Amino acid sequence: MLENRSLSKNNINAIRRSQVPQIIDTLWQLQSRDMLPAIWFIFSRKGCDAAVQYVENCNLLDECETSEVELALKRFRIQYPDAVRETAVKGLLQGVAAHHAGCLPLWKAFIEELFQRGLVKVVFATETLAAGLNMPARTAVISSLSKRSDSGRVQLSSNELLQMAGRAGRRGIDESGHVVLIQTPNEGAEECCKVLFAGLDPLVSQFTASYGMVLNLLAGVKAIHRSNESDDGRPSSGRTLEEARKLIEQSFGNYVSSNVMLAAKEEINKIEKEIEFLMSEITDEAIDKRSRKALSQRQYKEISELQEKLRAEKRVRAELRKQMEATRISALKPLLEDPENGDLPFLCLQYTDSEGTQHSLPAVFLGKVDSLNASKLKNLVSSDDSFALNLGDTEPSVTDSELDNGLEPSYHVALGSDNSWYLFTEKWIKTVYGTGFPNVPLAQGDALPREIMSTLLDKEDMKWDKLAQSAYGGLWFMEGSLDTWSWSLNVPVLSSFSESDELLLKSQAYRDAVERYKDQRNKVSRLKKKISRSEGYKEYSRVIDAVKFTEEKIKRLRNRSKRLTNRIEQIEPSGWKEFMQVSNVIHETRALDKNTKVIFPLGETAAAIRGENELWLAMVLRNKILLELKPPQLAAVCASLVSEGIKLRPWKNNSHIYEPTTTVMNVIKLLDEQRSALLTIQEKHGVMISCCLDSQFCGMVEAWASGLTWREIMMDCAMDEGDLARLLRRTIDLLAQIPKLADIDPLLQRNARAAYDAMDRPPISELAG
């Protein structure tokens, strides 16, 4: 009969990994339960495309439906030959497709049409599909409760989860919609419930003051009157600052936030008063008073003396624990010396997550960051403040004398058995084992395993997520790749090691420190038992339980107060402050005099143009240096102003093939000086509006404007076709505005028209959104 033992965290994780359903299995389940069509949300373009490739042999269409898809595809190919996504055709004929920002809008519109006709049964889409498109489905499948962001992996909010879930159920067709959440190794039913019952996020105003808005609200008399303008067509006066303020304060966001803020502030005041009262109930004096009342004088004296001894012994225990940790790190350092011809040792990393769960991770040690042939990682660790060691800030026990004894930590790298890279200091190593990978070539002429893995590490995007943090440095992880998978499979499980394998236990100093700590820990335990056996402990424990209950209540109240404070910070009306900051920049750049309301030519151009930063666009378009450019070169410069947010394929070589001409690069270099000056003024007045000037995509736009075909430009392109189409469309939109702007040189207007005509051709001219 098996012994009934609780499972370790590693075993639990292994079980959860084995329970993660495969895409094909889930797909057949949906079909057998009549839950198609479905929108399957995956939070990356690459993931959506990979899912289509994975299931493209699973035919979800009958013969009639397949014929309809073939006919629709044939018509689409005749009408838009360059818009066909050839890699997706096989999956489309089986009833599956991907839908994300990397696809051409024409292709996305085609997929949406087939989906609405019931000819596409499953669409793998990013979360952007959850809003704004008329693509209802019977089922919404959500692949994960977390997604990668610029700041690491973040959990979905209740709003995001419900927005995606809202795609399930077709009005007039389905009586009810279905939502399926896929279990992952780290997320299951419990985590799902936490998100669902966390409550909706508050309504937050998206109001932002722009240069165009401020100019159009305040602009009055023009500084320069043109002869062809009539007095009637000239504005007599703009709004005063007071009138503009009243208009802004009437915005919906400010109205909502003012009411919500009042209620939130009242609630915070109530919470603070309650916390203040409860704190008075758990002071040492209050506990002592209640203990005296509950116990006899003899009982009180006995427990007081024992408690005083317990506090003293706990202080000794804390000091011994600190000494044990210092000795452990000292003993680890020689074990982590970079191997030359020896093994790459196995080790165990250990940390406790935010919920108090301890994790143990087997890994193969690669080496100290400074010694690796991984320049990207070295530069990241040395330049990013996130990896800084804040010794003494979070652990007061770290002393200068300990650092002098060689305890200053260093960052190391290991590959875990879960095919994840781990970046860590000695703080997070539980032990090092005496066995490891032989660091010898696997075949004649091969590089050493350490060099191979260092190269694979340097190929990654370096998107590290933090698992834990301490004064001795952080523990970070990053997902590995298919290339590292075979290496990770050879990392043994922890249960295969014995105590004799643990090199750390061979350190006599560390073993002595552990024994001293254990002895003191036992002494504390015996003293606690002695207190629990004292005559008045039963009454005393009730006092302590009441104190613990009060402390928990205070903790809950503080968490609520913190949530309300964060909510107030999010929704506090800031429109007028932003308006004044923007108007100060406009005033200093002489676009408009905010006192006299006289608008200057720069302000007139900025007020008429549409864009992310109208003032910056106006500055560029009024620069005489643009008059020297030919139409394709003008298009390339315009592209540098609107390329914000455009992405490269991270898994492709960043070779754009087409580089901008020297003339274009010289113009952008000169414009960069003007941009720096505007950014300085913006920073002075607290304005955070971006001033885009990015030359990396200019060559692509210049090539398109020079007549290159779509097939030629997309050949081995480092950009997704949807991103390139979006860039070209933005550039065309800016070029279309130039001839309509006042006080723009006629030559520039003619060149802009010529560039527009050259660029506005299929498949860009037929984009549907």
Side-chain angles (χ1 to χ4, degrees):
M1 192 170 184
L2 289 175
E3 185 181 354
N4 184 19
R5 294 183 299 173
S6 59
L7 293 172
S8 68
K9 185 65 180 177
N10 286 334
N11 290 334
I12 292 173
N13 285 340
I15 291 172
R16 293 186 74 168
R17 279 196 295 271
S18 69
Q19 293 175 341
V20 173
Q22 297 296 312
I23 292 180
I24 292 178
D25 295 336
T26 305
L27 190 56
W28 291 132
Q29 288 287 339
L30 294 177
Q31 188 181 43
S32 65
R33 295 166 188 255
D34 194 26
M35 293 170 65
L36 298 179
I39 298 176
W40 196 310
F41 291 103
I42 299 176
F43 302 113
S44 73
R45 301 179 187 180
K46 187 178 180 182
C48 292
D49 292 335
V52 171
Q53 302 292 327
Y54 188 67
V55 303
E56 64 182 7
N57 292 322
C58 304
N59 195 352
L60 302 177
L61 304 178
D62 57 32
E63 291 184 8
C64 181
E65 289 171 330
T66 302
S67 298
E68 287 190 59
V69 173
E70 288 175 343
L71 180 60
L73 185 61
K74 185 177 181 180
R75 289 172 177 169
F76 184 83
R77 191 185 296 276
I78 292 171
Q79 190 172 4
Y80 310 115
D82 289 335
V84 176
R85 203 162 195 247
E86 297 295 347
T87 57
V89 168
K90 184 177 179 181
L92 192 63
L93 294 173
Q94 306 295 323
V96 294
H99 187 293
H100 53 71
C103 306
L104 272 175
L106 275 173
W107 180 257
K108 288 194 292 183
F110 178 56
I111 297 300
E112 292 162 20
E113 178 191 344
L114 294 181
F115 188 81
Q116 290 168 5
R117 291 171 56 188
L119 300 176
V120 170
K121 304 298 183 181
V122 179
V123 166
F124 295 98
T126 51
E127 70 269 31
T128 52
L129 183 62
L133 286 177
N134 182 26
M135 267 185 78
R138 178 168 293 168
T139 302
V141 183
I142 301 172
S143 63
S144 173
L145 288 173
S146 61
K147 60 181 180 178
R148 188 178 292 279
S149 69
D150 293 337
S151 57
R153 202 152 191 88
V154 297
Q155 194 172 58
L156 296 177
S157 67
S158 295
N159 291 38
E160 291 171 321
L161 183 60
L162 293 174
Q163 181 72 46
M164 287 183 281
R167 306 302 299 183
R170 298 167 294 178
R171 181 178 297 175
I173 301 176
D174 302 319
E175 292 184 4
S176 61
H178 306 279
V179 180
V180 177
L181 287 104
I182 305 296
Q183 178 169 306
T184 69
N186 302 311
E187 301 157 351
E190 184 179 347
E191 290 76 15
C192 175
C193 289
K194 286 181 182 178
V195 177
L196 284 173
F197 296 110
L200 294 176
D201 294 335
L203 185 64
V204 179
S205 172
Q206 297 299 311
F207 173 87
T208 53
S210 66
Y211 290 113
M213 184 192 73
V214 174
L215 285 164
N216 284 298
L217 275 177
L218 297 182
V221 178
K222 294 180 180 178
I224 300 174
H225 304 314
R226 296 173 185 80
S227 58
N228 61 344
E229 288 181 343
S230 64
D231 291 339
D232 294 338
R234 203 183 307 136
S236 58
S237 63
R239 290 179 178 85
T240 64
L241 288 175
E242 189 59 33
E243 289 171 339
R245 179 168 190 161
K246 288 180 180 178
L247 190 63
I248 289 171
E249 289 180 346
Q250 289 173 0
S251 73
F252 173 72
N254 282 338
Y255 170 75
V256 171
S257 62
S258 61
N259 289 301
V260 174
M261 274 205 310
L262 287 174
K265 286 178 179 178
E266 287 179 7
E267 182 69 16
I268 288 174
N269 288 333
K270 289 180 183 178
I271 291 173
E272 287 176 349
K273 288 179 181 178
E274 188 173 358
I275 290 175
E276 185 179 354
F277 171 75
L278 292 175
M279 287 295 293
S280 66
E281 295 285 304
I282 59 171
T283 60
D284 291 340
E285 293 80 4
I287 296 172
D288 187 67
K289 184 178 179 181
R290 290 163 69 179
S291 299
R292 285 178 183 273
K293 188 176 179 180
L295 304 172
S296 67
Q297 186 173 359
R298 181 172 56 81
Q299 291 171 340
Y300 172 77
K301 182 180 179 183
E302 180 187 9
I303 288 181
S304 295
E305 290 175 353
L306 289 172
Q307 285 287 357
E308 185 59 39
K309 286 182 182 178
L310 180 63
R311 283 190 286 270
E313 295 297 345
K314 281 183 175 180
R315 286 193 291 270
V316 174
R317 184 184 65 179
E319 182 61 30
L320 288 175
R321 181 180 179 84
K322 171 186 146 185
Q323 292 176 12
M324 180 181 68
E325 179 72 6
T327 308
R328 187 180 68 84
I329 293 177
S330 294
L332 279 171
K333 279 191 172 291
L335 303 178
L336 299 176
E337 293 297 327
D338 296 328
E340 295 179 359
N341 295 321
D343 293 346
L344 298 178
F346 297 124
L347 49 80
C348 175
L349 301 172
Q350 192 171 76
Y351 75 99
T352 302
D353 62 24
S354 57
E355 296 182 356
T357 305
Q358 192 174 76
H359 301 263
S360 297
L361 309 163
V364 58
F365 181 68
L366 196 58
K368 191 175 178 181
V369 169
D370 293 343
S371 67
L372 294 176
N373 185 24
S375 56
K376 283 169 65 176
L377 181 59
K378 288 181 186 176
N379 295 335
L380 181 69
V381 171
S382 62
S383 62
D384 194 330
D385 292 338
S386 302
F387 299 97
L389 302 173
N390 301 314
L391 292 168
D393 289 355
T394 57
E395 289 188 15
S397 60
V398 182
T399 63
D400 291 336
S401 61
E402 288 169 350
L403 297 181
D404 293 340
N405 291 331
L407 291 187
E408 185 172 1
S410 305
Y411 273 107
H412 305 267
V413 177
L415 179 66
S417 61
D418 58 351
N419 195 27
S420 292
W421 293 104
Y422 289 93
L423 177 65
F424 53 91
T425 60
E426 294 86 351
K427 161 74 179 177
W428 309 104
I429 303 175
K430 180 186 178 185
T431 191
V432 178
Y433 298 106
T435 57
F437 284 161
N439 192 34
V440 294
L442 300 181
Q444 189 174 4
D446 280 1
L448 295 175
R450 186 168 185 257
E451 294 174 5
I452 295 172
M453 285 196 280
S454 297
T455 303
L456 294 175
L457 174 65
D458 218 33
K459 286 172 62 178
E460 300 289 347
D461 286 341
M462 293 297 158
K463 293 181 179 178
W464 294 92
D465 293 327
K466 186 185 291 185
L467 288 173
Q469 179 63 38
S470 77
Y472 287 107
L475 172 64
W476 306 73
F477 89 101
M478 177 177 67
E479 293 177 2
S481 62
L482 190 61
D483 295 325
T484 59
W485 179 62
S486 59
W487 293 94
S488 68
L489 291 177
N490 289 294
V491 178
V493 295
L494 294 176
S495 58
S496 66
F497 295 104
S498 64
E499 276 196 12
S500 61
D501 294 322
E502 297 186 29
L503 298 181
L504 187 59
L505 295 179
K506 295 182 180 180
S507 167
Q508 186 62 46
Y510 176 65
R511 291 205 307 271
D512 292 343
V514 171
E515 286 302 318
R516 287 194 297 270
Y517 172 72
K518 285 182 177 179
D519 290 343
Q520 185 61 27
R521 188 176 61 186
N522 292 334
K523 190 181 290 187
V524 169
S525 297
R526 289 194 296 270
L527 198 50
K528 285 181 178 179
K529 287 181 180 178
K530 188 174 181 180
I531 294 173
S532 67
R533 292 170 183 157
S534 61
E535 185 180 346
Y537 180 75
K538 187 175 181 181
E539 290 75 15
Y540 179 74
S541 64
R542 290 173 182 164
V543 174
I544 299 303
D545 288 343
V547 170
K548 290 179 179 178
F549 179 80
T550 304
E551 289 173 341
E552 284 296 321
K553 189 173 182 180
I554 290 172
K555 184 179 178 181
R556 290 195 300 270
L557 288 170
R558 281 178 173 161
N559 287 337
R560 174 158 176 74
S561 177
K562 186 177 180 180
R563 287 197 300 269
L564 289 170
T565 302
N566 291 338
R567 186 174 183 183
I568 288 173
E569 290 174 355
Q570 284 180 330
I571 64 178
E572 189 168 13
S574 57
W576 180 245
K577 179 183 176 183
E578 291 177 12
F579 187 94
M580 288 305 298
Q581 289 171 332
V582 170
S583 66
N584 288 336
V585 175
I586 288 172
H587 182 82
E588 186 164 337
T589 55
R590 298 299 295 164
L592 175 138
D593 189 314
K594 66 179 183 180
N595 298 315
T596 63
K597 292 172 286 182
V598 172
I599 186 168
F600 296 93
L602 175 61
E604 288 185 63
T605 304
I609 206 167
R610 302 185 315 275
E612 184 73 21
N613 188 324
E614 301 92 343
L615 184 60
W616 166 235
L617 293 176
M619 285 180 170
V620 173
L621 296 179
R622 295 185 63 80
N623 196 316
K624 299 301 181 185
I625 195 173
L626 298 189
L627 301 179
E628 303 171 8
L629 300 176
K630 297 175 181 178
Q633 295 169 337
L634 175 61
V637 173
C638 286
S640 72
L641 307 174
V642 295
S643 61
E644 192 164 16
I646 301 297
K647 299 178 181 179
L648 293 173
R649 289 174 178 161
W651 57 92
K652 295 279 278 187
N653 292 328
N654 294 342
S655 171
H656 308 310
I657 305 173
Y658 304 103
E659 296 293 333
T661 56
T662 305
T663 303
V664 171
M665 291 304 298
N666 290 340
V667 169
I668 290 177
K669 190 179 295 184
L670 291 171
L671 290 177
D672 194 43
E673 298 176 7
Q674 193 174 4
R675 174 177 174 269
S676 298
L678 178 58
L679 286 172
T680 302
I681 297 173
Q682 285 192 167
E683 186 177 355
K684 173 183 173 183
H685 294 289
V687 174
M688 303 298 292
I689 304 176
S690 63
C691 300
C692 184
L693 186 68
D694 187 355
S695 63
Q696 65 175 327
F697 303 114
C698 290
M700 305 291 286
V701 176
E702 189 174 4
W704 177 255
S706 299
L708 207 68
T709 67
W710 182 256
R711 290 184 184 277
E712 289 171 334
I713 205 168
M714 285 306 301
M715 192 178 298
D716 199 30
C717 181
M719 298 172 68
D720 278 333
E721 53 192 6
D723 286 322
L724 180 56
R726 197 172 303 111
L727 175 63
L728 295 176
R729 191 71 256 172
R730 288 181 190 176
T731 306
I732 290 170
D733 289 343
L734 179 57
L735 290 168
Q737 292 184 65
I738 295 175
K740 303 171 186 176
L741 299 175
D743 204 40
I744 293 294
D745 192 285
L747 176 58
L748 183 65
Q749 292 178 327
R750 287 196 299 273
N751 286 339
R753 287 192 192 96
Y756 174 91
D757 292 338
M759 292 184 66
D760 193 34
R761 51 193 168 90
I764 303 303
S765 59
E766 292 144 344
L767 293 185

